[in-house]
């Protein structure tokens, strides 16, 4: 076979954008760095990224806030960390009471790892859900299954 896929492409093809076990609801407030590390570890544990990607997520936050407004934060790694991404994926933490995000209140935190330019599609799909009339409220108050159903499409939400 002339055009055999690389192992990285094979892994990426087999992985879902979001797994139910990567949706945590009812989270308790913590420091921004601890939340980023927790959501990043979920990405590591699922095989989306190498462990060093988590440090890159923290580094991104130090230089540019990933708070998007509307109680939503989307932490992701710096550009140089792209090589640490094995497959595109997301992990979700929901804080019903909110958690401090640099002076803002984040209730939904979605850690993002995107292969190539896929992170832009993922960001767009999440923003679409979050900007719906009652989208954020449904994310904040929904069960893990409901949050999963809302976000699992990611690139086709």
């Amino acid at each position: 076979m002339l055009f055999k896929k690389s192992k990285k492409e094979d892994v990426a093809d087999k992985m879902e954008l979001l797994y139910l076990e990567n949706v945590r609801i009812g989270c308790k407030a913590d420091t921004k760095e601890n939340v980023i590390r927790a959501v990043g570890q979920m990405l590591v544990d699922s095989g989306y990224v190498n462990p060093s990607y988590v440090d890159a997520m923290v580094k991104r936050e130090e230089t540019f806030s990933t708070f998007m407004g509307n109680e939503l934060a989307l932490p992701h790694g710096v550009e140089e960390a792209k090589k640490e991404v094995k497959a595109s994926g997301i992990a979700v933490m929901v804080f019903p009471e909110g958690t401090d995000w640099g002076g803002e209140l984040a209730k939904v935190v979605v850690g993002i790892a995107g292969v190539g330019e896929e992170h832009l599609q993922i960001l767009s799909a999440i923003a679409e859900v979050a900007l719906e009339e009652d989208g954020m409220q449904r994310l904040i108050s929904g069960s893990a299954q409901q949050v999963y159903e809302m976000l699992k499409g990611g690139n086709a939400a």
Side-chain angles (χ1 to χ4, degrees), residues 103-118:
E104 301 288 349
L105 194 65
K107 291 190 176 182
V108 178
V109 176
V110 183
I112 299 173
V115 173
E117 296 304 310
E118 286 182 14

Side-chain angles (χ1 to χ4, degrees), residues 81-145:
K82 286 258 181 226
K83 64 188 179 303
E84 302 303 325
V85 177
K86 299 187 228 176
S88 293
I90 62 176
V92 184
M93 294 178 76
V94 179
F95 298 83
E97 304 300 317
T99 191
D100 179 58
W101 207 268
E104 301 288 349
L105 194 65
K107 291 190 176 182
V108 178
V109 176
V110 183
I112 299 173
V115 173
E117 296 304 310
E118 286 182 14
H119 70 285
L120 297 174
Q121 293 170 293
I122 296 167
L123 290 169
S124 171
I126 294 167
E128 227 173 90
V129 171
L131 294 175
E132 283 177 20
E133 179 92 20
D134 63 342
M136 275 304 284
Q137 197 49 51
R138 290 187 341 216
L139 287 173
I140 294 164
S141 62
S143 68
Q145 183 69 41

